Amino acid sequence: MDLQVQPPAPSPRVNLRNDAVDAAAARDQAGERAEQQLDQRKQAAANAASRLGPTSEFQKFLQESTGKILPVFGAEFFANAPSTFAPILNAPVPAEYPLGPGDELLIRGWGSIDINYRATIDRNGLITIPTVGSVVLGGVKAGDAESVIRAEIAKLYKGVSINVNFGQLRAITVYVVGQANRPGTYTVSSLSTLVTALFASGGPNANGSMRRVQVKRAGKVVAELDLYAFIAKGDKSADIKLQDGDAIYIPSAAGYVALVGKVNSPAIYELRSANDAIASVLDVAGGLPVVADPRRAFLERIDANKNRPRSVEQFALDEAGLKKTLKNGDVLNITSITPDFSNAVVLRGNVDQAVRAPFRAGMRISDLIPSRDYLITRSSTQRQNSALNAGENERTTGENVETIASRIGGLIEEINWDYAVVERINRDDLSVSLLPFNLGKVFSNPAGADNLLLQPGDTVTIFSQKDVLVPMDKRRVFVRVEGEVNVPGVYQMSSGETLQQLMARAGGPTRNAYVFGVGFYREQVRKEQEANLEKAASRLENQLRSEQSKAVANIRGSSTADARIAEARREADLMAAQAAVARLRQLKPTGRIAFGLDPRELSFARLPQLKLEGGDRLVVPAKPEFVHVFGAVNVEASPLWRPNSRVNDYLKLAGATADADLDNAFILRVDGSVVSRNTGNWLFGGFGGVEVMPGDSIVVPEKFDKETRWTKFTQGTREWAQIFANFGLGAAAIKTLRD
């Protein structure tokens, strides 16, 4: 302590300081706080582990009945809450707090004397201020400490202003006994309350009561706390400040009941007494949710004195039911309301949005669907809104390219005006009946029989033409024609109209139109080709597994050297076969239908009388100038087409390699058909004498002589001719197969 007294002067000033003590005390306090915080974290972790430890017998019993472990209401509050006891730092000191030994005061004064002094009340209840003397503070309330100290200083010095703050407060000792999770002696802050001390001890154990925690002082019960009131409602009116020597007693719980089903907080609840009613427990649990059905509650009860100790009763949670007394071991199960509307009808399907509308007497379908605008789906509206961004910068006639033209006519879902249905439930026998009606007549003749009278619970379903396919004559037909026609575009055709009529609508062919190369594409055919292609790939995979099994069996019977060679060959074949299947799956069928026209045909009148369907696409190309040669040739090229030229003529230009398998060469015609040696009998010259048409592709596979047909398939590509024919693939697919 540094005590400095100035020499006498006309206005004598005394400077009282103990800064050195302050610095040392601050360092000591910082160390103590760090240790205390570490201890607090350790104890909080221990409390959590112990609280969430073994389950009670009642919890195990409920697990067998309900299939899950219900928590004990309030237990997790202690398991997760941080320990906040001894000492409480930086908390305001209440004015009514009685000072006692160990409490620290910070005294500052100015005027005729300068004071900056830290004092601690000793065991006699005194502090000693140099040049002032001893001041009695034991038992003085914190709010009166400043006036007491000012009065003592005023006895010696005049005109002094005093300010008193509090530093570290004393610790007190309390005892936690009974059914505590961690009973024992605890040193806590003198500002601690019953709740903070309960945190220190981890709260009640599995058998302890949360509803009747008592504080005993000098042999008398001075407070009784219901923790449920605090946890559920924040009521701390019974939470008192502790004094040195207080005993916290946790008695055994009076009993437990369980709330299950549609309650806000399914859990196990402690009974406060043997006369607790259902209403009091529901009040703690936060009441019932809106989906709970108060008309049906089931109470399961245990009576160990009976031969069959378990029983159940049903009652309503009305005024009498809420007053029903609960007993230890009861399980209250509250059911959910039936999610059924008593006054509603439903509209769904191809509509703007599915709705549940209120029913009213005399309501008809026209009341549920006032106008046709209600039948425009959200997806249709979205397509209309995105029409401005639907196009591409470049126009293309590629088979799978999305363009503006391909989307024309698809802005709205076509309604099935002839058939819609009302589903009606018969409440007597719970049977469902269907009442079909003509949707178009509801709007054209609202007074007709199709404008059905609705009943509560009816469901009205509207279909599009895609939901339930309508006859061809009733479907809308938007088709696209492009290429070498006078007026290419998208046309709406009537049911039953044909290709010739479409060509007439488009102004007929131009002088550059090439009849043999006409491409006709249909979406349904594309889907079927796609499904068949997947089946072919799966079939080839099965064949691969079979061939590999045979190869492995043959290798086992071979000598060591031969086995190594055979195994290497088998692995190579396997890799090649897997690559072939992968390439096969990369192919994209186009949905093209080959017309099988004579290559020399010049008249569009010979096109088949094919009835058009919505989404059909007709491409009339110009006459190509080239022929393409692929495969086992010296130079893969596209020489100019010459009239009356034959296969052999182009093979001479390209030059067949030594490994060329000319016996299995084939022609991929510009019309989508495939010509090979197996497709017909040639009058002269054999396959090499077949006339090649403009745009045709000649494919020459390589010649291989391996053990399995899989090797021939994957390496020689001789089976690809059939694939091209079956799936409407063009010459562009050759690159996919060979890369």
Side-chain angles (χ1 to χ4, degrees):
M1 180 183 302
D2 182 15
L3 176 62
Q4 298 179 6
V5 181
Q6 295 181 353
S11 298
R13 295 175 61 84
V14 179
N15 192 354
L16 300 178
R17 307 180 64 87
N18 58 356
D19 294 343
V21 176
D22 290 349
R27 289 192 296 271
D28 293 342
Q29 290 172 7
E32 291 176 0
R33 291 171 185 172
E35 293 179 2
Q36 290 165 357
Q37 291 173 356
L38 180 61
D39 292 340
Q40 291 169 8
R41 287 193 294 267
K42 290 180 178 179
Q43 188 163 357
N47 291 345
S50 61
R51 192 66 192 175
L52 298 178
T55 56
S56 67
E57 292 300 323
F58 189 44
Q59 284 177 298
K60 295 177 182 178
F61 172 77
L62 290 174
Q63 183 183 15
E64 295 176 358
S65 301
T66 63
K68 59 182 179 180
I69 296 180
L70 287 176
V72 177
F73 182 78
E76 195 166 335
F77 177 71
F78 286 100
N80 296 330
S83 179
T84 57
F85 58 94
I88 297 177
L89 303 176
N90 301 322
V93 180
E96 67 276 8
Y97 172 74
L99 299 176
D103 289 337
E104 186 179 56
L105 292 85
L106 306 177
I107 305 170
R108 291 179 175 84
W110 58 94
S112 60
I113 182 174
D114 290 334
I115 302 175
N116 189 5
Y117 193 75
R118 184 186 298 269
T120 301
I121 301 176
D122 62 20
R123 67 182 60 187
N124 296 318
L126 303 174
I127 63 169
T128 301
I129 304 175
T131 74
V132 174
S134 297
V135 180
V136 179
L137 290 178
V140 175
K141 293 182 179 180
D144 299 331
E146 186 173 299
S147 60
V148 172
I149 294 174
R150 183 185 298 112
E152 291 296 326
I153 294 176
K155 293 177 181 179
L156 299 176
Y157 300 95
K158 303 299 182 183
V160 179
S161 298
I162 297 297
N163 176 263
V164 176
N165 287 317
F166 296 93
Q168 184 172 335
L169 301 181
R170 70 183 184 276
I172 62 174
T173 300
V174 296
Y175 306 93
V176 181
V177 295
Q179 300 296 323
N181 194 37
R182 297 173 61 86
T185 302
Y186 289 84
T187 300
V188 298
S189 167
S190 56
L191 292 180
S192 295
T193 65
L194 172 56
V195 171
T196 57
L198 284 174
F199 282 159
S201 65
N205 62 21
N207 298 317
S209 173
M210 292 189 188
R211 311 209 61 179
R212 295 182 295 113
V213 180
Q214 299 175 352
V215 177
K216 296 185 177 182
R217 185 178 298 162
K220 297 180 180 180
V221 177
V222 295
E224 183 172 286
L225 175 66
D226 184 355
L227 279 171
Y228 276 17
F230 172 51
I231 296 172
K233 301 180 180 180
D235 182 5
K236 287 187 65 178
S237 58
D239 185 26
I240 66 170
K241 286 185 172 58
L242 298 175
Q243 296 184 11
D244 192 39
D246 281 352
I248 300 173
Y249 170 65
I250 303 177
S252 298
Y256 294 97
V257 296
L259 294 186
V260 297
K262 292 301 175 181
V263 293
N264 284 325
S265 300
I268 295 174
Y269 292 83
E270 178 188 341
L271 295 174
R272 181 172 175 82
S273 66
N275 298 318
D276 275 6
I278 292 177
S280 64
V281 177
L282 288 177
D283 183 52
V284 173
L288 296 178
V290 67
V291 296
D293 188 357
R295 299 170 300 175
R296 291 192 304 167
F298 298 89
L299 183 63
E300 301 174 13
R301 177 158 290 175
I302 299 175
D303 189 346
N305 296 322
K306 295 182 178 179
N307 293 331
R308 294 184 177 180
R310 297 193 67 185
S311 61
V312 62
E313 58 179 307
Q314 177 181 347
F315 54 90
L317 291 177
D318 51 15
E319 183 178 357
L322 291 174
K323 292 180 180 180
K324 198 173 188 65
T325 302
L326 294 172
K327 294 184 178 180
N328 186 23
D330 282 353
V331 179
L332 182 63
N333 184 2
I334 300 173
T335 60
S336 173
I337 60 172
T338 302
D340 187 18
F341 287 86
S342 60
N343 66 332
V345 290
V346 173
L347 175 65
R348 66 174 184 176
N350 198 93
V351 293
D352 170 38
Q353 57 183 335
V355 295
R356 180 178 287 109
F359 171 81
R360 62 179 184 272
M363 188 176 188
R364 295 184 179 273
I365 292 174
S366 58
D367 297 317
L368 188 61
I369 314 174
S371 70
R372 288 181 172 87
D373 290 342
Y374 281 64
L375 305 178
I376 301 176
T377 64
R378 293 297 177 93
S379 59
S380 297
T381 304
Q382 185 177 5
R383 287 196 293 273
Q384 296 172 36
N385 292 337
S386 62
L388 291 177
N389 301 321
E392 305 292 341
N393 292 330
E394 297 182 4
R395 187 176 186 279
T396 178
T397 57
E399 296 169 353
N400 292 314
V401 177
E402 284 290 327
T403 64
I404 294 177
S406 68
R407 288 186 286 271
I408 288 180
L411 290 179
I412 194 170
E413 297 290 343
E414 193 73 10
I415 302 294
N416 186 341
W417 296 103
D418 296 329
Y419 178 85
V421 68
V422 175
E423 294 177 82
R424 180 166 295 168
I425 299 175
N426 187 334
R427 297 290 176 176
D428 295 332
D429 57 6
L430 298 182
S431 61
V432 177
S433 58
L434 301 182
L435 305 177
F437 62 94
N438 188 299
L439 181 61
K441 292 181 179 180
V442 171
F443 294 100
S444 63
N445 184 20
D450 287 282
N451 194 9
L452 299 177
L453 192 66
L454 297 175
Q455 294 183 6
D458 282 353
T459 298
V460 181
T461 304
I462 308 300
F463 298 96
S464 71
Q465 292 188 2
K466 291 182 179 179
D467 296 327
V468 177
L469 292 179
V470 299
M472 292 290 297
D473 293 343
K474 295 184 179 181
R475 299 181 194 176
R476 63 182 181 182
V477 180
F478 291 96
V479 296
R480 181 166 32 142
V481 57
E482 51 191 295
E484 294 299 323
V485 292
N486 287 304
V487 189
V490 178
Y491 293 90
Q492 183 171 7
M493 308 296 291
S494 299
S495 175
E497 289 190 292
T498 63
L499 280 175
Q500 284 83 359
Q501 291 168 304
L502 174 61
M503 289 294 296
R505 287 278 193 93
T510 66
R511 61 185 179 84
N512 296 319
Y514 185 35
V515 178
F516 184 59
V518 167
F520 183 76
Y521 305 91
R522 178 164 287 176
E523 179 62 18
Q524 183 60 34
V525 174
R526 186 196 65 80
K527 292 179 180 179
E528 293 172 357
Q529 289 175 345
E530 198 171 57
N532 291 334
L533 185 63
E534 178 59 31
K535 291 179 181 178
S538 300
R539 185 169 60 251
L540 292 177
E541 283 181 330
N542 293 333
Q543 182 180 343
L544 169 63
R545 286 191 289 268
S546 176
E547 293 288 348
Q548 288 296 310
S549 299
K550 294 178 182 178
V552 171
N554 293 334
I555 291 173
R556 291 174 181 170
S558 305
S559 62
T560 303
D562 293 341
R564 284 197 296 267
I565 296 173
E567 178 61 23
R569 181 177 296 173
R570 185 191 69 81
E571 291 181 359
D573 289 348
L574 175 62
M575 294 178 62
Q578 290 174 338
V581 174
R583 292 197 300 273
L584 182 62
R585 283 201 161 97
Q586 291 178 8
L587 298 178
K588 300 298 181 183
T590 63
R592 183 173 185 178
I593 300 175
F595 291 152
L597 297 175
D598 189 306
R600 298 179 180 274
E601 183 60 59
L602 300 178
S603 174
F604 277 84
R606 300 304 299 271
L607 290 176
Q609 296 290 331
L610 182 65
K611 290 184 179 181
L612 298 172
E613 294 183 7
D616 285 349
R617 178 166 164 257
L618 180 67
V619 179
V620 181
K623 189 173 183 178
E625 300 290 340
F626 301 96
V627 173
H628 310 286
V629 183
F630 300 95
V633 293
N634 293 323
V635 180
E636 290 189 344
S638 298
L640 285 171
W641 174 80
R642 294 184 178 87
N644 299 317
S645 296
R646 311 291 170 171
V647 171
N648 285 338
D649 297 331
Y650 293 103
L651 290 180
K652 288 177 182 179
L653 290 175
T657 65
D659 293 330
D661 187 2
L662 297 177
D663 291 338
N664 289 286
F666 60 92
I667 302 173
L668 181 59
R669 291 288 198 192
V670 71
D671 72 337
S673 61
V674 176
V675 178
S676 65
R677 292 185 181 275
N678 299 325
T679 56
N681 297 319
W682 312 107
L683 297 179
F684 66 96
F687 180 73
V690 176
E691 183 178 2
V692 180
M693 304 306 297
D696 284 353
S697 299
I698 302 172
V699 182
V700 182
E702 295 180 352
K703 183 188 298 182
F704 287 89
D705 187 15
K706 303 289 184 179
E707 289 85 351
T708 68
R709 57 183 295 227
W710 252 105
T711 304
K712 297 176 182 178
F713 176 80
T714 58
Q715 301 289 348
T717 66
R718 58 181 63 179
E719 278 82 1
W720 294 120
Q722 190 64 32
I723 292 176
F724 280 98
N726 290 342
F727 302 118
L729 301 172
I734 295 177
K735 179 175 175 57
T736 301
L737 296 174
R738 298 176 66 246
D739 288 348

